[in-house]
Amino acid sequence: MKDLQERFQAMLQKIPVSLAVRECNRLVALQARLPETGTVLDVGCGDGSFWKVFPGVERLTVDGIDLNSHEIELARLTGVYRSLQISDVSQTVPQGCYDYVIGNCSMEHIPDIHGALTNLRQVMNGESRLLLFVPAFGWPKVLKSVRFLHQLSPRLGMAATGALDGFFQHHHIYDEVSWKLLVENAGYRVEHVQCLGAPEINREFERNLPAAFLEFLLKSVRKRYAGLGVLRRLPGPRFFEVLGQQPVPLGSPDIVEYVIEARPT
C-alpha cells in the first residue's frame, strides 16, 4: 500500500486528483498484465505522466504516439520513451513492431476507432497483445450527483451523463459485449475482459471532480495543468487498500472502465 501511495503522490505533481485516481487504478491493472521486459507502444501517450511512475518501466522499451505535438514534447521531458511519434493512428500505420500495444483510455477519443484498431494490428505479430482501457457504458451513473439527478428526473440524469461524456470527449461508450464485438471486428481475438471500479475509488473521483474541471479549463489556456497544490490531497488509507484489489467482477454496479486484452487473428 505504501508503494501505491508514493506513486499516487508522484502523479499529483503533474495531474489533478480525479485523473490520478483513474490512472493509478489502471496502473494496478496493467502491472499485473505486463511482463518485466518487452516493447510497448503507448497509443495516445499524452504527457507521459503515467509511465513516469510505472513500476519497472526502466526494463521496458516504450514508444509513444499522440496527435498533440505539445503533449509529445511534455512526454519527451519524462525521459521514459525510446521514441515519440506525432500521428493519427486512424489515418497512418505507426512505425515499428511491438509486443504490447496499449490504449490507456485513449481509443474512445478517436472517431474512426475501427481504422485505428486495424492500423495498430499492422505493428503486431501473432504473439503480441492489445491492451485497452475503455469507459463502460453509463459510467457516470456510479456518481452520487448523477444518481440524484436521475431520481429527480430521468431526463436530468441522462443530460448529466451526456454532459460528462461530452466534456471528456468520448466518441465511443459501450457495454462489455459491444466493446468485444468492436475489437474482434477489427481483426482481433478478445481473450479477457475485466472491470475497474469500486465505491471508495468512485467517491474519491467524484469528490475531486470540481477541482479537476477547473484544472482542465486552465490547461486549455496554459497548455499544461496548473499545479494547484492546495487542490491535490492524498486520499486516505482505505482508498489505497481497495485500489490494490482491482479488477472487480464483471457485473459489478460500480464499474467505470473495462480492461480488454486481445491478440491479432
Side-chain angles (χ1 to χ4, degrees):
M1 187 170 70
K2 183 179 178 182
D3 180 65
L4 274 177
Q5 290 176 323
E6 291 173 350
R7 296 186 186 282
F8 195 98
Q9 186 68 63
M11 283 186 179
L12 293 186
Q13 304 303 310
K14 296 288 185 180
I15 59 178
V17 177
S18 285
L19 184 53
V21 166
R22 294 290 173 83
E23 291 280 40
C24 212
N25 208 13
R26 298 166 199 150
L27 183 150
V28 171
L30 187 58
Q31 190 178 0
R33 287 167 173 78
L34 280 185
E36 290 190 357
T37 61
T39 54
V40 175
L41 178 62
D42 181 11
V43 181
C45 62
D47 63 7
S49 57
F50 177 85
W51 290 103
K52 186 67 176 176
V53 301
F54 188 81
V57 68
E58 65 279 356
R59 295 189 295 272
L60 296 168
T61 301
V62 185
D63 292 345
I65 187 167
D66 201 285
L67 269 174
N68 191 310
S69 60
H70 180 71
E71 293 290 292
I72 285 287
E73 289 309 310
L74 293 178
R76 200 180 308 280
L77 294 175
T78 66
V80 169
Y81 296 93
R82 175 182 63 177
S83 69
L84 290 157
Q85 305 173 46
I86 304 172
S87 183
D88 181 349
V89 294
S90 68
Q91 301 294 324
T92 307
V93 176
Q95 301 173 6
C97 185
Y98 298 92
D99 300 318
Y100 282 84
V101 173
I102 296 174
N104 182 359
C105 273
S106 58
M107 300 300 292
E108 67 273 15
H109 302 295
I110 301 175
D112 182 10
I113 191 172
H114 179 81
L117 288 169
T118 301
N119 284 340
L120 291 172
R121 187 160 46 85
Q122 307 307 309
V123 301
M124 304 171 69
N125 58 46
E127 299 303 315
S128 300
R129 293 290 187 276
L130 175 73
L131 285 171
L132 299 181
F133 293 86
V134 292
F137 179 77
W139 69 268
K141 292 180 182 178
V142 306
L143 306 180
K144 289 184 177 180
S145 54
V146 173
R147 290 203 301 267
F148 173 74
L149 289 174
H150 191 81
Q151 288 173 354
L152 289 178
S153 165
R155 290 183 185 274
L156 286 177
M158 292 180 71
T161 296
L164 284 167
D165 279 322
F167 183 87
F168 290 113
Q169 298 180 307
H170 292 158
H171 288 276
H172 305 278
I173 303 290
Y174 309 119
D175 60 18
E176 70 275 11
V177 174
S178 299
W179 274 117
K180 182 178 178 181
L181 289 172
L182 186 150
V183 172
E184 290 182 338
N185 191 48
Y188 298 85
R189 181 173 69 253
V190 173
E191 297 187 334
H192 301 288
V193 178
Q194 292 185 307
C195 309
L196 302 179
E200 294 85 353
I201 295 172
N202 297 338
R203 278 199 300 271
E204 199 65 40
F205 174 83
E206 183 174 17
R207 186 181 299 123
N208 291 279
L209 198 53
F213 283 147
L214 175 60
E215 291 207 52
F216 283 136
L217 293 173
L218 289 173
K219 184 185 180 185
S220 67
V221 177
R222 297 166 53 96
K223 304 302 181 184
R224 66 174 65 198
Y225 290 112
L228 304 177
V230 68
L231 300 178
R232 298 182 183 179
R233 297 181 179 178
L234 198 68
R238 175 59 181 164
F239 168 83
F240 292 101
E241 181 181 336
V242 174
L243 194 66
Q245 297 170 358
Q246 299 294 296
V248 297
L250 198 65
S252 167
D254 305 301
I255 294 169
V256 292
E257 291 177 359
Y258 301 117
V259 189
I260 300 173
E261 183 173 351
R263 70 164 67 189
T265 55

